[in-house]
Amino acid sequence: MHEQEEQTPARFTRRNVLTASASAAAALGAAGLPVLTTGTPAFATGGDHGHGGGLRAEPLIPSGNRGIILYSVRDRIGAAPDSTGVPYGFERVLARLAEIGYKEVEFAGYTQNTAILGRQITPKEIRKILDDNGLVANGTHTQINPGTFEQQMDIAQELGMKHIGTGGDPTNSAYKADWDAAADIWNELGRRAKARGLRLYTHNHHEAYDFLLDAGPLDPAGKPTRSSGLRRLEYFFDQADPRYVFFEMDIYWAYVARFKHTTYTDWRGNQQTDLFDPILTVAPRTARFPLFHAKDGDRNPSVPDGHDMVPLGDGDINFQQFFQTIGAPHLHHANWEHDNASGGTAIPAQSLNFAASSYTNMSELTIYRR
């Protein structure tokens, strides 16, 4: 934690559960969205003999909705049998994640080291491991394209998923025409997914919240060179059919976007400032975000992304404020992720240790109700 950020708690306890900022509350109110009461939670002095004054504590993220994307522990799933005592392969790693407390997993591939079985594991075998450990597959990051989509849906259904998605953006383009074309494809694939009882979703990185080039003079190829201030994925929200296309916000990358994508050049050539707000992006369309990556970052303006990726609870991102403000806790599934959790040969258990501490911190997020 950096000295200038000490006022933002990294771990959330019963004494700081309601910390929505005044600026966030004002913005939500102006948008016609519900505003949470801010300030210190009340601890009663009567009525129930000082035991909460009618307040009851509930987990902010229900236990059944606490998940992990297996990309975070890919080093151990892909590991060959060894003598370290650290779990390896799907059977041992998923058993350990269930022991930690996770109820859901999001896939990032379906392979393990062939030395474990003498061949590659099958989706049917993975499904049995899930069932044996009381785990549910809530989604996957796979390739989304028309040619292989039916095959990918077959695997998703074999594993019991309700969502199928990708770890990338629908397009990396800065131009509306490319996002329009992507929306046509995703609307059709989403329709096919819905017919099979699945929801199609896309996962963001920070580039998705950069500004479109949709205004001003044209370049030699006839493309705009300036911006109206509209962000790429926010344009896609309206082009994608809400019946068929859903989203998984990576909360860490959304806050990186808040750091990186703050200015654009308007059609007149003037620089404009616009601060991206992850909460205000989700709150008006919360039902379109069934999944989240609960990935934490410690603010560090000296690095390109403005944050160092850390286990959940060790950084500055205010998950309490985020999940409490967007509401609908039973709708949303939070998958912990850390892109660089592996400790390599020096600390082979590091990714699983990070998974354990992150689960503890996720489970301690609490909401108080009367």
Side-chain angles (χ1 to χ4, degrees), residues 246-288:
F246 297 85
F247 301 90
E248 176 182 64
M249 176 177 276
D250 186 306
I251 299 171
Y252 171 86
W253 288 117
Y255 279 93
V256 170
R258 183 179 176 89
F259 172 82
K260 291 178 72 81
H261 306 303
T262 60
T263 61
Y264 64 92
T265 302
D266 69 17
W267 67 276
R268 294 186 179 89
N270 299 319
Q271 189 174 80
Q272 304 292 340
T273 298
D274 182 74
L275 190 64
F276 176 69
D277 194 312
I279 292 175
L280 293 180
T281 298
V282 174
R285 54 183 70 84
T286 189
R288 296 191 76 182

Side-chain angles (χ1 to χ4, degrees), residues 76-158:
R76 297 313 305 170
I77 289 176
D82 58 44
S83 59
T84 64
V86 182
Y88 58 84
F90 278 111
E91 183 174 14
R92 293 165 178 81
V93 171
L94 291 181
R96 174 58 183 142
L97 294 176
E99 182 181 55
I100 288 169
Y102 288 102
K103 300 298 184 186
E104 298 189 329
V105 297
E106 183 181 26
F107 281 83
Y110 310 116
T111 60
Q112 63 181 15
N113 195 295
T114 55
I116 297 173
L117 296 176
R119 57 172 173 80
Q120 192 50 257
I121 195 169
T122 67
K124 184 176 181 179
E125 290 169 328
I126 297 173
R127 174 62 185 270
K128 184 178 186 304
I129 295 169
L130 290 170
D131 293 345
D132 288 348
N133 288 282
L135 293 169
V136 173
N138 66 21
T140 183
H141 283 191
T142 189
Q143 296 296 318
I144 301 297
N145 61 68
T148 61
F149 195 52
E150 292 298 325
Q151 178 186 11
Q152 290 301 321
M153 288 195 290
D154 289 343
I155 296 172
Q157 292 191 310
E158 177 76 60

Side-chain angles (χ1 to χ4, degrees), residues 155-190:
I155 296 172
Q157 292 191 310
E158 177 76 60
L159 292 170
M161 295 176 196
K162 298 298 184 185
H163 306 90
I164 182 170
T166 179
D169 297 316
T171 174
N172 295 319
S173 174
Y175 304 105
K176 280 184 175 180
D178 295 317
W179 286 91
D180 289 339
D184 289 342
I185 294 171
W186 277 68
N187 285 337
E188 172 57 22
L189 295 181

Side-chain angles (χ1 to χ4, degrees), residues 222-238:
K223 295 183 176 181
T225 58
R226 297 173 184 170
S227 181
S228 68
L230 183 61
R231 297 178 188 270
R232 300 175 186 182
L233 196 61
E234 292 179 337
Y235 175 71
F236 187 74
F237 290 152
D238 292 332

Side-chain angles (χ1 to χ4, degrees), residues 44-71:
T45 57
D48 65 349
H49 307 288
H51 295 152
L55 286 175
R56 67 182 187 277
E58 297 177 2
L60 187 55
I61 300 172
S63 61
N65 290 21
R66 297 174 202 151
I68 176 174
I69 181 167
L70 297 180
Y71 186 76

